[in-house]
Amino acid sequence: MKRKVAAASRRLTKNDKRRDAASTLTAWLKRTRTLVEKSLRTAVPAAATKPATIHRALRYSLLSGGKRLRPLLCCAASEACGGTARSALPAACAVEMIHAYSLIHDDLPCMDNDDLRRGKPTSHKMFGEGIAVLAGDALLTAAFAVLAAAQPRALYHGSDLVIELARAAGSRGLIAGQVADLEAEGLQPSEPALYFIHAAKTGLLLRASLKLGAMCAGGTKAQVAALDRFGFALGLAFQIQDDILDATQSAQKLGKTAGKDAAAGKITFPAFFGLEKSSALAEGWTSEAIASLQSFGPRGETLRALAADLLQRER
Ligand code: GRG
């Protein structure tokens, strides 16, 4: 009897801890998202700035919702290294601007040809293809101007930040992933190609977000390296979960066209491994991500909670 009571009370404590962690994360997300949204609104010219079409278009895509995962990771990484979310905001805005540009271009008819993004018509559906291309270009360019406002601490200079982001976004980074994705269409899928495409398309910007946040806080080289390992594993877990959602959820829930990758014969984790193995893989990469944060102690708690939370997401 005594043993049963002890076990029940242990379970209660565990559940209480889980509930506490969830409500701490919810409060952190609310606070940090507010900071990020406010900074993003002032990071780009007002909608009426001439030529107004391009500024309306870039604000439309940048300020149209989204989870803001990359800026949140950037802010959380800064805090994990003893800095503040606020000091990471220029870098946080810059990574979200790169992300927004990549989505606009990815949705174009010459790429994935999508009509729906974040529950709204895609940029080229709203403004036409020419303006959508230019809105992406403008966001990509402006991201580096915004990043220039960052004041990294200790070991790092502004130029280290610029190089980090340029490498992640460039022809050996995101763009390499997109090229591999385009060239894989219609070919026999292979496991190395699957991992390469997603590690580049999804993982590299997540890793850069974390590393930039750490650099803004003057994190040590070891901390930056640990966050890079965290980002690599998290990127894979996030993409696998994204593929699972794409295969199992409705467009209304996702805010983007569902089941499109599989229909287009694109290489996805569920198509390659099946849904069950894909779920196990997402869990495995999440555990690996969390394990790489060991050296951060309590300061790594937000990143740990974020990783666990992303595995449960429904959009
Ligand atoms: C430069 C055209 C071009 C492409 C580079 C990043 C990329 C490659 C393409 C973007 C489209 C895509 C499917 C990327 C994979 C990563 C991913 C799952 C993006 C969606 O990110 P979320 O879920 O989106 O964070 P929200 O809307 O929440 O910001």
Side-chain angles (χ1 to χ4, degrees), residues 2-73:
K2 258 191 191 165
R3 238 186 273 152
K4 270 190 184 162
V5 172
S9 116
R10 264 200 307 278
R11 263 202 306 278
L12 211 62
T13 326
K14 227 175 167 183
N15 285 342
D16 285 349
K17 273 195 188 146
R18 238 180 252 145
R19 256 196 305 276
D20 277 358
S23 71
T24 308
L25 179 67
T26 307
W28 183 89
L29 286 172
K30 192 168 173 224
R31 201 167 59 238
T32 313
R33 274 205 185 107
T34 305
L35 276 180
V36 167
E37 294 295 339
K38 227 168 133 185
S39 302
L40 283 173
R41 278 199 295 277
T42 53
V44 286
T49 308
K50 285 184 181 160
T53 327
I54 189 71
H55 296 120
R56 275 206 348 263
L58 65 87
R59 291 183 78 86
Y60 175 81
S61 290
L62 185 64
L63 307 176
S64 62
K67 294 180 285 296
R68 307 306 195 198
L69 172 62
R70 293 146 194 86
L72 291 169
L73 289 173

Side-chain angles (χ1 to χ4, degrees), residues 67 70 99 101-102 105-106 118 178 201-202 238 242:
K67 294 180 285 296
R70 293 146 194 86
H99 173 57
Y101 126 74
S102 77
H105 281 194
D106 191 60
R118 295 170 171 171
Q178 186 76 352
K201 276 183 71 172
T202 308
F238 180 78
D242 204 72

Side-chain angles (χ1 to χ4, degrees), residues 33-313:
R33 274 205 185 107
T34 305
L35 276 180
V36 167
E37 294 295 339
K38 227 168 133 185
S39 302
L40 283 173
R41 278 199 295 277
T42 53
V44 286
T49 308
K50 285 184 181 160
T53 327
I54 189 71
H55 296 120
R56 275 206 348 263
L58 65 87
R59 291 183 78 86
Y60 175 81
S61 290
L62 185 64
L63 307 176
S64 62
K67 294 180 285 296
R68 307 306 195 198
L69 172 62
R70 293 146 194 86
L72 291 169
L73 289 173
C74 186
C75 293
S78 173
E79 291 180 352
C81 296
T84 61
R86 214 171 266 282
S87 67
L89 285 174
C93 288
V95 292
E96 187 66 12
M97 289 163 79
I98 299 279
H99 173 57
Y101 126 74
S102 77
L103 296 180
I104 295 175
H105 281 194
D106 191 60
D107 290 333
L108 286 168
C110 61
M111 298 271 174
D112 261 9
N113 193 17
D114 225 316
D115 296 353
L116 193 64
R117 171 71 63 185
R118 295 170 171 171
K120 289 163 73 175
T122 45
S123 181
H124 64 276
K125 284 280 153 194
M126 279 299 286
F127 301 97
E129 270 183 63
I131 292 293
V133 169
L134 293 171
D137 293 341
L139 281 165
L140 169 61
T141 314
F144 288 93
V146 169
L147 183 64
Q151 293 180 318
R153 289 179 43 195
L155 301 168
Y156 312 98
H157 301 284
S159 57
D160 296 319
L161 304 189
V162 170
I163 288 170
E164 181 60 44
L165 189 58
R167 282 202 180 127
S171 59
R172 283 175 289 179
L174 287 192
I175 290 176
Q178 186 76 352
V179 170
D181 198 8
L182 287 174
E183 292 180 346
E185 266 176 55
L187 297 182
Q188 189 66 24
S190 76
E191 193 171 335
L194 177 67
Y195 275 94
F196 175 80
I197 290 170
H198 296 303
K201 276 183 71 172
T202 308
L204 286 175
L205 196 54
L206 299 190
R207 287 162 71 183
S209 306
L210 290 152
K211 285 157 83 181
L212 290 174
M215 288 173 173
C216 288
T220 63
K221 296 270 179 201
Q223 285 177 319
V224 173
L227 288 168
D228 193 34
R229 288 195 296 278
F230 171 74
F232 176 82
L234 185 77
L236 286 170
F238 180 78
Q239 184 58 52
I240 297 169
Q241 188 63 16
D242 204 72
D243 284 355
I244 293 173
L245 292 173
D246 186 66
T248 56
Q249 301 280 8
S250 67
Q252 199 189 12
K253 194 148 202 177
L254 296 176
K256 59 183 180 184
T257 315
K260 194 154 174 285
D261 288 348
K266 286 226 174 185
I267 180 166
T268 69
F269 282 90
F272 197 82
F273 292 110
L275 276 173
E276 207 173 308
K277 171 118 195 261
S278 297
S279 293
L281 282 170
E283 267 179 47
W285 284 111
T286 302
S287 304
E288 183 134 348
I290 291 174
S292 55
L293 295 173
Q294 207 174 3
S295 61
F296 289 91
R299 275 194 188 150
E301 205 39 57
T302 304
L303 287 170
R304 286 184 202 100
L306 262 171
D309 193 60
L310 284 173
L311 196 60
Q312 311 297 330
R313 75 196 168 100

